[in-house]
Amino acid sequence: MRRERTVTRVALARALAALGGSLWPPLAALAFALAVSAGIVAAIGESPAAVLPLLFRQGLGSLDGFARVLFDATPLVLTGLSVAWAFRGGLFNIGAEGQLYVGAFCAAGLALALPGLPRWLALPAAVLAAALGGALWGAIPGWLRARFGVHEVINTIMLNFIAVGLTGYLVQRYLKEPGQMIPHTPRIAASYHLHPFAESAAGRALGLSPANPLGPSLLIALAAALAVWALLRWSVAGYRLRAVGQGPEAARQAGIPVGRVTWQAMAMSGALAGLVGVHDVLLYRHRFLDNFSSGLGFLGIAVALMGRNHPLGILLAALLFGFFSTGALEIDIFTEVPRELVVVLQALIILAVVSIGELAARARRRRRRAS
Amino acid sequence: MSILLGLLLGTLRTATPLLFAGLGGMFSERAGVVNIALEGILLVGAFSAAAAAIATGSLAAALLAAMLGGLLLAALHALVTLRFGVDQIVSGVALNMLAMGATEFLMWLLYGSGANSPRIALAAPGGERGLGQLLVELPPLTWLALAAVPACGWLLFATRFGLRLRAAGEHPEAVASLGLSVLRLRLAAVLLSGALPGLGGAFLSLGAGYFVKNMSAGRGYIALAALIFGRWRPGGLLAACLLFGFAESLQGQLQLPWLPLRFVQMLPYLLTMVALAGAIGRSRPPAALGRPFRRD
């Protein structure tokens, strides 16, 4: 009996240590980045105590504000999952930015090509198109890695530029709505529209303002997080992915087709990023806008790092970055501090997360060797 | 004749910032450190040069500020990757974000606008274009970039420092076993990869007459592409930069309807992928590229 209790206590202590061990580096990084930002704010003669709370004021102030935070967090969940999925397979996908462009373009292109599709077919087809477009764009560097051994980092960077250039060219040349300065496609047919929650009776009852853009793409992002979690934990594909990520040579010895796992992992990663097209085109803009993403794919790297490549961590990290992007507007409106402070803050968080993570790992190694 | 001259001038002008960035990247990559922060370094260099030129009106101050600005960002890269052992790509992505945010932030602070700075009042040479004008028309920084190609080649391939630097990128363990500090060699290389591209940034803002937000516009990545395409050698790098510069200035000068500008801008990226896949002969990166070195 007594022995049993000790065992439970040890297990509990271990679980807590593991949880704490994975939680404190991101939190320390957040504290560090906030402290530096406070220093910057103070240095330009504003009060940090007045400015920094604005980051969270709107998001925590009302349900409507929180819904806006969730809206801003939605694409970050998807790109964060995208980066994390590749990362679990030992692959570094810097191409989420390009993959989401191709995904969004495919969704809009399908809607423009087949405007007469009935709604029950149109929506799933457009979601599929977004995922497939992203998957294709992700599979290219994956295949080049598997076939020619080219590291995916450079190719994903290159494909980002090619994706922006190619979609921009196609819009300008073939799909541009005439008479517009900024190239974008015409509006897609109504059967392809996802409707914001604010338009539903429940949304109105909850007090969402009519302009609140939060919609079903959030549910898609949550479902994607759940699917990634389940696949990583329970599926053969997830097991193979992790095996290749932890040691490709050992995985090869164990009979895992490393090449196939590699390109499939990049395709899956691209599909997740491509789903941002659902959020941006079907729910928000109802059209493809040239150059629409201001670095959602790159922020996905930050979200994945902050969330330690775990779906739950990614949800939390995306929420945090959602607060920042909603709060940036507040800072812009209510203070003299430019909203670009938030970009600086985000960059500092990435640097701090990775640095603290490495230093913590190094300290752990040293302790293990000492004991 | 004047079209050809325009093409030549355009090619050299477009290639200048790529050359500075690519030469900087060559030191860093040859020493085994991936530096995709080149993009941010160009941006910071452009901003520092503009700010210093507006504040002092002196070209020398502007160039010095550009090198210092680039050096600062590179030093951060060195701190995070060499000292803390962080993945070099992650650090580069973060630093590019930092450069983007910080330059816009500072623009707001100094000039009250996040879009572009006031005009830089430095006298720029103008005048008629003729064959004799070529010397005058080309900015001094372009001449400097061209001269830097053999100079950097000499430093990297004919000096003891260069030999050790390359060894740190090929076989760091061997370097360490000789009692030399791999980290110090890599630090020197990364700092070089900040100062030189800083000058490339200065070329952008001083050439345009003001600083515009995100004015590096992917040139840091193109420089990286040129480096791969030129097989990490000064001569190859020069050829690749001239090729990319020629394609863009061809479109700029002639406005060819069958050659959309967006295709031309995609060309370097596309060619790099082809080169990397081995279609244009084997392109072998330094053996220890991207591998952190730990003494324990």
Side-chain angles (χ1 to χ4, degrees), chain B residues 45 56 140 142 147 186 262:
Chain B
T56 67
T142 300
R186 288 187 168 178
R262 301 201 77 146

Side-chain angles (χ1 to χ4, degrees), chain B residues 23-267:
Chain B
L23 287 170
M26 186 171 69
F27 284 109
S28 166
E29 298 231 325
R30 279 287 186 163
V33 182
V34 182
N35 192 354
I36 63 166
L38 287 178
E39 176 73 11
I41 291 171
L42 277 177
L43 198 58
V44 168
F47 177 81
S48 322
I54 290 167
T56 67
S58 142
L59 178 67
L63 296 184
L64 196 67
M67 293 197 351
L68 282 178
L71 204 66
L72 191 68
L73 206 66
L76 262 177
H77 190 53
L79 175 75
V80 172
T81 60
L82 300 178
R83 183 75 185 81
F84 298 158
V86 165
D87 186 285
Q88 295 160 2
I89 305 286
V90 174
S91 166
V93 170
L95 288 174
N96 286 339
M97 246 174 92
L98 185 66
M100 186 99 98
T103 50
E104 276 184 55
F105 183 80
L106 288 171
M107 273 227 289
W108 259 109
L109 219 57
L110 291 176
Y111 313 120
S113 149
N116 57 266
S117 75
R119 261 203 91 70
I120 301 167
L122 281 181
E128 275 293 297
R129 276 185 187 171
L131 199 56
Q133 283 293 103
L134 185 62
L135 282 159
V136 188
E137 278 256 351
L138 272 184
L141 275 178
T142 300
W143 290 112
L144 188 62
L146 290 173
V149 174
C152 290
W154 173 79
L155 185 58
L156 198 55
F157 292 97
T159 65
R160 195 164 62 173
F161 168 70
L163 176 70
R164 289 175 172 174
L165 196 152
R166 281 180 293 131
E170 292 289 346
H171 205 309
E173 292 78 12
V175 174
S177 73
L178 290 175
L180 296 165
S181 166
V182 175
L183 291 188
R184 207 170 298 162
L185 282 164
R186 288 187 168 178
L187 175 67
V190 173
L191 291 182
L192 275 171
S193 83
L196 276 169
L199 286 177
F203 180 84
L204 289 176
S205 59
L206 299 182
Y210 36 77
F211 177 83
V212 188
K213 100 179 207 190
N214 192 23
M215 82 182 305
S216 51
R219 287 189 183 84
Y221 295 110
I222 297 191
L224 214 59
L227 196 58
I228 294 166
F229 209 58
R231 299 186 195 189
W232 291 270
R233 300 187 147 272
L237 175 72
L238 176 65
C241 289
L242 291 177
L243 176 72
F244 296 165
F246 176 72
E248 201 164 324
S249 108
L250 188 68
Q251 173 57 24
Q253 292 280 323
L254 303 182
Q255 296 292 338
L256 305 166
W258 48 268
L259 189 68
L261 184 61
R262 301 201 77 146
F263 269 5
V264 174
Q265 288 165 341
M266 272 159 49
L267 210 60

Side-chain angles (χ1 to χ4, degrees), chain B residues 268-291:
Chain B
Y269 307 119
L270 209 60
L271 284 176
T272 305
M273 293 183 62
V274 173
L276 276 173
I280 314 175
R282 270 197 65 74
S283 188
R284 198 187 66 87
L289 186 58
R291 226 174 58 204

Side-chain angles (χ1 to χ4, degrees), chain A residues 93-156:
Chain A
N93 181 18
I94 314 190
E97 185 79 356
Q99 290 145 16
L100 69 88
Y101 271 99
V102 177
F105 183 82
C106 287
L110 176 83
L112 290 171
L114 303 169
L117 231 51
R119 190 169 171 75
W120 63 268
L121 191 58
L123 278 179
V127 173
L128 201 64
L132 281 179
L136 169 77
W137 215 245
I140 297 170
W143 178 76
L144 287 171
R145 161 107 192 216
R147 176 77 180 73
F148 298 103
V150 192
H151 201 277
E152 70 285 352
V153 160
I154 292 288
N155 277 335
T156 49

Side-chain angles (χ1 to χ4, degrees), chain A residues 332-355:
Chain A
D332 210 32
I333 296 170
F334 294 107
T335 70
E336 294 297 305
V337 181
R339 71 162 95 175
E340 278 73 26
L341 176 72
V342 171
V343 181
V344 176
L345 178 63
Q346 285 165 339
L348 286 176
I349 286 183
I350 308 184
L351 284 175
V353 161
V354 289
S355 298

